[in-house]
Amino acid sequence: QVQLVESGGGLVQAGGSLRLSCAASGNIFSINVIGWYRQAPGKERELVATISSAGSTNYADSVKGRFTISRDNAKNTVYLQMNSLKPEDTAVYYCHLAPWSGTYFRAGYWGQGTQVTVSS
C-alpha cells in the first residue's frame, strides 16, 4: 500500500504563491504517475497537473503558465508550485498516485487533501 500526505496549503492573497508537497511512502512502484487534483465547493473534482516517473508533465489549461509540478524521486515527494493565485483557485487539493503494473495503470491512491484559500 501507498500513503500520500499533502501539506503546504493555507490562506493567501490573490497574486500570491504557495507550494504544495505530497510525500509518498509505502510500496511505491518505480514507474508511476502522480497528479494533483482539486475540488471546490459545489464543483467536480478536476485534474490540475500530472507528472510521470520520467518527468513528463501535463497541466490543465486553467493553471498553465501559473502552476508548476515537479518531483524528487529520491525523496518520493511531488510538489506543486502555485504562482499568481486567483480566488478561483480556492479548493481542496489532493494528490494521487497511479502505479504502472507492467501492463496498465492500476487503481491509485489518494492523499487526504490540503485546503488552499485565495482571498481577493
Side-chain angles (χ1 to χ4, degrees):
Q1 290 184 309
V2 174
Q3 296 81 46
L4 303 172
V5 179
E6 301 98 330
S7 61
L11 176 64
V12 66
Q13 296 266 25
S17 298
L18 286 172
R19 188 176 77 155
L20 306 183
S21 298
C22 175
S25 62
N27 298 321
I28 302 170
F29 290 83
S30 60
I31 301 176
N32 57 63
V33 172
I34 296 180
W36 283 98
Y37 295 74
R38 67 186 182 187
Q39 187 166 22
K43 299 184 68 176
E44 291 287 327
R45 187 172 299 184
E46 64 175 347
L47 178 66
V48 176
T50 63
I51 186 165
S52 72
S53 303
S56 299
T57 59
N58 292 99
Y59 297 92
D61 288 341
S62 60
V63 306
K64 191 171 296 183
R66 299 188 298 120
F67 291 10
T68 302
I69 189 170
S70 62
R71 66 188 289 169
D72 185 337
N73 289 330
K75 298 176 66 174
N76 294 323
T77 301
V78 172
Y79 306 95
L80 185 68
Q81 179 67 46
M82 305 185 294
N83 298 325
S84 302
L85 283 162
K86 305 174 181 179
E88 50 263 46
D89 295 319
T90 295
V92 177
Y93 284 70
Y94 301 88
C95 64
H96 177 269
L97 182 149
W100 178 248
S101 72
T103 307
Y104 57 90
F105 282 104
R106 301 175 63 188
Y109 305 87
W110 290 96
Q112 83 288 350
T114 185
Q115 176 71 49
V116 171
T117 302
V118 184
S119 62
S120 59

